[in-house]
Amino acid sequence: MLKRIIKDLSGEKLFLFAFCIYLIVETLTTTTFPIPWRMIEFGRTVALALIVWKIIGFDCLEFRTLLWIVLLFANALAVKIFAGYWEPLRWVLLLAGAHDVSIHKILKSYLVISLSILLYAFEGSLLGIIVNLQYDAGLRGIRNSFGIIYPTDFAAHVFFLLLVFLYLKREKVKSEMYLFFLVIAGLILYFCSARLDSLCICLLTVGYMWLKLKRPGQKKRNPLFSCALCSMPVLMSIMWFLTIWFAGRGPFISELNRLLSSRLYMQEKGLAEYGIRLFGQSIKMAGNGGSVNLPEEYFFIDCSYFYILLQYGIFFLIAVFAVHMMICKKYKQDSYFALAIILLSVNSLISHHLLEVAYNPFALALFARTAYSEKITDRNMGVQPCITQK
């Protein structure tokens, strides 16, 4: 039996199995289930070891692909040495392991596992099996987390699940489903008071509805491609400008900071106290989540771009931008993917989930096999399937 399994084993099957293990572990860490930390580390280690086996034993990499992987790995290793963080190394390893694996199979695996755990946590919190953390937000009402460590994290799960679902289904989504998605956005706003994710769900609903209704014309340059290509650097520049402007404490920018739940203040404080380094630095952050007891001294950077910049360094931020820009070039004829990247960039402006696979699986598309190989070439990235003669 074991020999037969090994004989039928392929690199794609091995990665998907490892990815499922890793995703289960990472998603469970975002819930209030009492999972022992040793079990979490064991699951991560097993999954990453299987991915290394896949890369070494099954992959045939072109020189350009190998060069990109080496550069990304060297950058992430430098972050580990100088700042002590493992997260960039894990992220790069997942990207490399997804080489020549169907992006559709990756996203479908993500959809099934993430949705299952989220529903289990939601039901468990309502039945009292696990805690439903509730926070009094004053005029904004009671914020529910429904079995996730914080209300905005629950909302982020819902947003990314809908984003993956709509990308996979595309024009097959029935019109009445879009109304259902808007209802979900309203429920998220009412029960979780998560304004960003409610807005993003509305944007993705309108955006994908527009793509579905758009009349197909002659092949022209995809207008969404240009927006997606520069979305992250542009939005980072805007947030940088607002943060520097906030240092002047004008009335308008102070009101904007209040609407953004003091994000501009936290970013300015982070820049003033820690500054920017090439390969990051160890920063002790204390945020809400996991408990209704607030930390004595709150300090947390929510913006993904500043979160990466301060903790992992400017070089790794540039690498993250480069990865997503190369993904955009790879999928330049895919309007649905371009819209997903734009919405991801907007969401990352306020939330810190850009590098967390438990929320965002789209970065794995860098070296993964495209779903539309006839229309979208991988040649620009040097991503070619490994062909062996039998």
Side-chain angles (χ1 to χ4, degrees), residues 41-246:
E41 289 300 322
F42 177 75
R44 283 174 178 163
T45 302
V46 170
L48 295 175
L50 291 174
I51 291 174
V52 171
W53 177 20
K54 184 263 182 184
I55 296 172
I56 296 175
F58 292 88
D59 283 347
C60 298
L61 303 175
E62 286 194 352
F63 175 75
R64 282 179 294 177
T65 305
L66 181 60
L67 179 61
W68 277 114
I69 292 174
V70 169
L71 290 174
L72 287 171
F73 185 82
N75 196 336
L77 182 60
V79 173
K80 176 64 182 76
I81 293 172
F82 287 93
Y85 295 110
W86 284 103
E87 288 79 6
L89 277 172
R90 295 174 187 149
W91 187 71
V92 171
L93 193 57
L94 283 166
L95 265 58
H99 172 262
D100 201 27
V101 178
S102 168
I103 186 60
H104 260 209
K105 291 182 180 179
I106 293 174
L107 294 179
K108 286 179 181 178
S109 300
Y110 167 87
L111 192 63
V112 171
I113 291 174
S114 296
L115 180 60
S116 300
I117 295 177
L118 186 66
L119 290 176
Y120 188 36
F122 179 80
E123 183 180 3
S125 69
L126 296 182
L127 295 176
I129 299 174
I130 57 175
V131 64
N132 172 25
L133 297 171
Q134 294 181 312
Y135 299 85
D136 188 353
L139 295 177
R140 293 168 61 185
I142 300 297
R143 309 181 71 188
N144 296 274
S145 63
F146 296 119
I148 305 300
I149 57 175
Y150 198 66
T152 53
D153 291 321
F154 176 84
H157 275 300
V158 175
F159 164 69
F160 279 104
L161 281 168
L162 291 179
L163 187 60
V164 171
F165 175 79
L166 283 175
Y167 174 72
L168 289 173
K169 291 299 182 180
R170 298 168 173 259
E171 64 277 356
K172 295 180 182 179
V173 178
K174 296 182 180 180
S175 299
E176 53 267 24
M177 285 295 292
Y178 290 107
L179 178 60
F180 175 65
F181 297 150
L182 292 176
V183 171
I184 291 178
L187 293 174
I188 290 293
L189 183 62
Y190 181 80
F191 287 103
C192 303
S193 190
R195 296 169 295 185
L196 168 69
D197 293 291
S198 299
L199 174 61
C200 286
I201 292 172
C202 292
L203 290 176
L204 76 88
T205 302
V206 174
Y208 276 90
M209 187 186 301
W210 171 72
L211 287 178
K212 180 180 180 180
L213 298 176
K214 189 178 65 170
R215 294 179 60 184
Q218 297 180 348
K219 290 186 178 180
K220 298 180 180 179
R221 183 178 178 85
N222 183 359
L224 289 176
F225 164 70
S226 300
C227 296
L229 188 66
C230 61
S231 57
M232 288 190 182
V234 168
L235 289 174
M236 170 60 186
S237 300
I238 292 174
M239 185 58 85
W240 177 273
F241 171 75
L242 292 175
T243 303
I244 299 302
W245 184 11
F246 176 73

Side-chain angles (χ1 to χ4, degrees), residues 289-326:
S291 172
V292 293
N293 297 320
L294 302 180
E296 294 182 3
E297 187 175 349
Y298 180 91
F299 176 70
F300 195 87
I301 304 295
D302 285 290
C303 173
S304 288
Y305 310 129
F306 272 87
Y307 186 92
I308 296 169
L309 176 65
L310 293 175
Q311 290 199 120
Y312 306 149
I314 190 169
F315 280 172
F316 197 76
L317 178 65
I318 293 173
V320 171
F321 287 167
V323 164
H324 287 88
M325 291 174 77
M326 289 186 294

Side-chain angles (χ1 to χ4, degrees), residues 252-270:
F252 172 78
I253 199 66
S254 296
E255 178 63 19
L256 180 61
N257 176 65
R258 186 189 67 80
L259 292 174
L260 294 176
S261 303
S262 298
R263 282 173 170 83
L264 298 180
Y265 168 74
M266 291 296 166
Q267 289 159 193
E268 189 223 359
K269 181 179 178 181

